[in-house]
Amino acid sequence: MIAAIPILPPRIDRGWLGNLPPTLEWDGDETGFLRLLDQTVLPERVAFRDCRTAEDVWDAIKRLQVRGAPAIGVAAAYGLCLGTRAASAASNDALAAEIRRVAEYLCACRPTAVNLAWAVRRVAQAGTQKGRAAREAWLAMLRAAHALAAEDADVCRRIGEAGARLVPDGGGVLTHCNAGALATVAYGTALSVLYAAHAQGKRFRVFADETRPLLQGARLTAYELQAAGLDVTVLCDGAAASLLASGQVQMVIVGADRIAANGDTANKIGTYGLALAARAHEVPFYVAAPRSTFDLSIRSGAEIRIEERAASEVGVIGDREIVPKGVSCWNPAFDVTPSPLIAGFVTESGVLQPVPGHGFGEIFDPRGLK
Ligand code: MRU
């Protein structure tokens, strides 16, 4: 009898990232599990969460142990594999029903980032092609999830290479939230541009907004830039306009959770205000994102569903209540920056601009769906 060849995860190149731990990795062969770096405890501790069920993955995404649009997409892709593994021992019909159920469950976890549904759909499609036994179909899903992980790292590296020329040598760059290696399988989007420029020998200072309420800028962006040897300074979100007015910043670059056909962009709450301040001070404002973040099925940002998160994220810091009892808190996780405020979109295919009044749909389809 010939032994089956085990299906192993891809080896990911992490060249620019110093000793930063991986955001997520499949551990083992087809009997393995998903290991996530628990981002809620950074930078104090480096801890991991092992996910063996779709429920584990859903919970880790909800709590933001794994976060960032591309990373939650890849995590959910593996979550779909975990949640349907048992059904692969049954019939094709049973597997197909389970794929539908688990895919819907995972996609409902966080609504704003389009990458989540996009990645889940890709893995689901790999498992629902006709003419294969259920076990073969499930193995095809795991291979598809591994391919997504490898592709994400590759695409992010290409985003960095495409955008590096925009980074001012000797100047300052401001970013918001975390659109780095921790938000993807490796390298990130906005931060990949900075890693690539740094690798080319450019020297510049990075300013990271702390990004209330959950401090992804202070905790995560500062952590990973420091690990990679870049010069990083953290500021309160409210200091960003003054920093732009001071002339220390020549470029703003952020990531994205969903980009509509007209270029309107959803990203972490506070991005819109930053774009307005950048425009007022004539500093170019760039968005870096893979093509999988473009959602050409929606015409404008008005159609993007913004996730609202628990009031306690605003009202409580650590174990301290910072808002008086009885006062309510509003906690949208994202906002929408109108396309005219964006100087360009750094993608793996180069730096793109929407055509005013037409958006992207008239000139190309970033996901190759047409
Ligand atoms: O709530 P989060 O931490 O998942 O929000 C993340 C962001 O807004 C990122 O900027 C975006 O997902 C792009 S990540 C490359």
Side-chain angles (χ1 to χ4, degrees):
M1 191 174 126
I2 303 166
I5 300 166
I7 297 173
L8 297 173
R11 239 210 288 274
I12 306 286
D13 172 75
R14 300 176 54 78
W16 297 330
L17 301 174
N19 57 2
L20 185 76
T23 307
L24 54 83
E25 268 180 334
W26 183 264
D27 190 299
D29 58 14
E30 54 274 23
T31 61
F33 59 90
L34 177 64
R35 172 161 289 174
L36 303 172
L37 176 65
D38 180 354
Q39 301 191 29
T40 60
V41 297
L42 286 173
E44 295 139 89
R45 280 191 294 128
V46 173
F48 296 91
R49 173 161 185 188
D50 293 346
C51 297
R52 292 187 162 79
T53 64
E55 288 73 20
D56 287 344
V57 175
W58 188 96
D59 182 69
I61 293 173
K62 194 75 184 172
R63 288 169 190 266
L64 271 50
Q65 287 177 312
V66 61
R67 28 69 50 204
I72 62 175
V74 177
Y78 281 124
L80 183 59
C81 296
L82 290 166
T84 53
R85 184 159 51 192
S88 73
S91 68
N92 253 325
D93 285 351
L95 177 64
E98 200 57 357
I99 290 172
R100 275 195 302 278
R101 185 190 69 76
V102 179
E104 202 175 313
Y105 165 70
L106 288 166
C107 287
C109 185
R110 293 194 78 190
T112 302
V114 69
N115 308 64
L116 200 163
W118 173 82
V120 165
R121 194 166 53 239
R122 252 181 69 168
V123 171
Q125 275 165 0
T128 42
Q129 279 161 24
K130 299 247 177 287
R132 275 179 319 199
R135 181 68 183 161
E136 283 311 308
W138 185 83
L139 292 174
M141 290 169 65
L142 184 60
R143 280 194 205 95
H146 287 335
L148 265 174
E151 189 182 302
D152 185 57
D154 178 58
V155 158
C156 285
R157 197 175 170 105
R158 287 194 280 136
I159 289 172
E161 287 161 356
R165 67 180 167 81
L166 302 170
V167 177
D169 198 3
V173 180
L174 174 58
T175 189
H176 189 71
C177 193
N178 173 264
L182 293 170
T184 59
V185 173
Y187 304 118
T189 57
L191 298 195
S192 182
V193 170
L194 306 185
Y195 291 132
H198 189 257
Q200 290 172 4
K202 285 187 177 177
R203 290 298 169 261
F204 48 91
R205 190 171 177 193
V206 186
F207 293 93
D209 282 349
E210 62 173 354
T211 318
R212 274 282 285 152
L214 297 179
L215 305 173
Q216 288 94 328
R219 296 187 302 104
L220 307 177
T221 294
Y223 177 75
E224 68 165 272
L225 290 177
Q226 184 186 49
L230 274 74
D231 175 0
V232 57
T233 301
V234 173
L235 59 146
C236 294
D237 299 337
S242 296
L243 178 72
L244 288 159
S246 76
Q248 296 179 76
V249 166
Q250 288 73 43
M251 173 195 200
V252 180
I253 188 161
V254 299
D257 288 84
R258 195 182 288 248
I259 302 169
N262 71 343
D264 290 353
T265 295
N267 191 49
K268 180 52 56 189
I269 191 75
T271 302
Y272 176 30
L274 192 58
L276 287 168
R279 172 57 56 88
H281 294 288
E282 296 177 3
V283 174
F285 180 94
Y286 289 97
V287 170
R291 299 190 312 190
S292 54
T293 302
F294 289 75
D295 181 358
L296 298 185
S297 74
I298 55 169
R299 288 221 302 260
S300 80
E303 293 173 66
I304 299 176
R305 188 169 151 216
I306 300 293
E307 174 187 5
E308 282 214 26
R309 293 187 59 88
S312 58
E313 290 181 351
V314 174
V316 181
I317 295 187
D319 52 12
R320 235 189 112 198
E321 291 192 16
I322 57 158
V323 174
K325 274 200 192 342
V327 173
S328 50
C329 298
W330 182 49
N331 188 19
F334 303 97
D335 59 24
V336 175
T337 298
S339 166
L341 294 175
I342 299 167
F345 294 81
V346 187
T347 74
E348 67 271 34
S349 306
V351 182
L352 310 172
Q353 262 119 8
V355 177
H358 293 282
F360 293 106
E362 302 283 313
I363 50 171
F364 85 129
D365 180 338
R367 283 185 294 176
L369 289 179
K370 267 190 198 150

